[in-house]
Amino acid sequence: MTPQDYEYLRKLLKERSGLDLSADKQYLVESRLMPLARKAGLGGIPELAQKMKGGAATLTSEVVEAMTTNETFFFRDKIPFDHLKQTVLPELIQARAARRSIRIWCAASSTGQEPYSIAMCLKEMGAALSGWRTEIVATDLSVGVLEKSKAGMFSQFEVQRGLPIQLLVKYFTQQGELWQLNADIRAMVQHKQLNLLQDFSHLGKFDIIFCRNVLIYFDQGTKASIFDRVSRILEPDGVLALGAAESVVGISDAFKPSPDRRGLYRTNPARGAGGAPVFPFKATASAR
Ligand SMILES: C[S@@+](CC[C@H](N)C(=O)[O-])C[C@H]1O[C@@H](n2cnc3c(N)ncnc32)[C@H](O)[C@@H]1O
């Protein structure tokens, strides 16, 4: 690949998906895109770039998808899910007692392990949520991962990563070498294709937003813009969960870390996020 081809691909990926590749990631581009070039009957990356410059839209989308990292597993990092079951959901159940509905957005949901982990947490709340309307919206840039997520079919390797055996037995059915997630859990999750670089205000307001292990691939400006727009669709007493290697600190003042709940954030009332009314930050009241 020539330096010009690399620059072309770098710029395109930044514009299309937010992926911020440093100058020395040619090896990554080669390893991810060579299989795609071969599949398309092309000699290599220069020919692939040439086709894309010629306006091959489907091929370009495939290139963007092939460059995304889809690594995920059930109950990843464990702690956010413990918080969800032990404090976040019990508090929301009290706060939403009149409305009896909870909306959760799982942004960058990959192959489904994250939104389905959330769905199992809701199910495990048992009678406390019986008769409630619970909505989990799972979105991702990649159509391929969303298709796999919708199918709810996981390999032995995938179910061995993070999923407690009791939940495997309770919510999955073995089908040959694969495990099918039961229909009632699958039905709790709606899937939509969505690029975080684009407007997502049409999704409506959410009580909980999981946006984990995707912002690490973006530059500071892109992260700040996403935090700002996420803060506008999170309810004032809602919760944002980020990945273990992610934080708002030094990037955005739209959110404040929850003092004793690692990985969880609340909108920053000092900022009056999204023009929303300023609510007192319930850090001490909600901290247990
Ligand atoms: C590493 S996975 C994280 C999955 C899950 N959130 C977790 O923490 O296990 C990152 C996901 O972000 C998606 N992604 C990358 N760029 C995106 C964008 N601009 N908009 C939406 N999703 C994006 C990828 O397709 C991929 O599925």
Side-chain angles (χ1 to χ4, degrees):
M1 164 177 30
T2 64
Q4 290 79 8
D5 289 331
Y6 183 60
E7 272 317 301
Y8 166 75
L9 288 166
R10 243 176 90 174
K11 191 160 168 281
L12 178 128
L13 291 164
K14 180 94 184 279
E15 281 167 11
R16 297 290 182 103
S17 70
L19 180 64
D20 187 27
L21 286 175
S22 55
D24 59 350
K25 290 284 192 299
Q26 285 91 338
Y27 71 93
L28 183 69
V29 171
E30 293 265 1
S31 66
R32 297 264 179 101
L33 298 189
M34 269 314 286
L36 196 61
R38 278 195 213 102
K39 201 179 106 207
L42 301 166
I45 308 291
E47 292 81 357
L48 187 72
Q50 203 53 46
K51 272 255 181 219
M52 290 163 68
K53 287 177 196 165
T58 309
L59 192 63
T60 303
S61 299
E62 285 173 359
V63 164
V64 172
E65 288 207 14
M67 287 305 302
T68 59
T69 299
N70 305 126
E71 163 75 356
T72 186
F73 48 95
F74 288 103
F75 297 94
R76 186 174 189 171
D77 303 337
K78 192 172 174 300
I79 292 171
F81 298 96
D82 290 344
H83 287 316
L84 189 66
K85 283 181 290 191
Q86 290 159 16
T87 58
V88 175
L89 284 172
E91 283 170 11
L92 270 174
I93 288 169
Q94 280 193 359
R96 304 285 183 268
R99 180 176 109 183
R100 288 169 77 79
S101 70
I102 293 179
R103 294 194 80 222
I104 303 175
W105 178 26
C106 183
S109 55
S110 192
T111 43
Q113 285 88 331
E114 188 173 53
Y116 289 136
S117 298
I118 298 170
M120 286 183 266
C121 287
L122 290 179
K123 200 78 174 169
E124 290 290 300
M125 297 304 291
L129 281 176
S130 124
W132 283 54
R133 201 167 66 86
T134 54
E135 225 184 307
I136 303 169
V137 181
T139 66
D140 201 282
L141 170 77
S142 159
V143 177
V145 297
L146 288 169
E147 287 307 317
K148 172 161 164 52
S149 179
K150 271 184 219 167
M153 197 70 106
F154 297 95
S155 68
Q156 184 69 37
F157 174 70
E158 287 167 329
V159 297
Q160 270 167 352
R161 294 184 77 200
L163 184 68
I165 184 82
Q166 316 85 278
L167 298 184
L168 175 66
V169 171
K170 197 164 170 185
Y171 297 122
F172 290 76
T173 308
Q174 191 158 20
Q175 291 200 1
E177 300 200 331
L178 299 175
W179 290 87
Q180 168 83 76
L181 188 58
N182 294 345
D184 57 339
I185 303 290
R186 274 186 284 139
M188 293 172 73
V189 177
Q190 300 166 36
H191 293 86
K192 289 184 180 28
Q193 200 228 354
L194 187 133
N195 186 342
L196 288 167
L197 300 190
Q198 290 162 6
D199 177 40
F200 43 71
S201 56
H202 58 277
L203 294 178
K205 290 256 182 188
F206 291 94
D207 302 300
I208 301 172
I209 297 178
F210 272 62
C211 184
R212 303 194 316 141
N213 304 302
V214 61
L215 300 178
I216 32 169
Y217 301 107
F218 301 159
D219 67 13
Q220 301 283 91
T222 309
K223 286 182 202 178
S225 154
I226 294 172
F227 283 134
D228 183 54
R229 291 180 292 122
V230 166
S231 73
R232 290 167 199 271
I233 64 164
L234 184 64
E235 294 285 5
D237 61 348
V239 170
L240 168 70
L242 296 180
E246 295 163 329
S247 171
V248 297
V249 177
I251 300 168
S252 167
D253 62 357
F255 288 96
K256 280 177 80 118
S258 190
D260 59 352
R261 297 178 190 177
R262 191 149 55 87
L264 298 191
Y265 297 78
R266 290 193 186 263
T267 48
N268 183 0
R271 190 170 181 259
V278 175
F279 279 68
F281 185 51
K282 293 200 307 178
T284 44
S286 59
R288 295 221 181 122

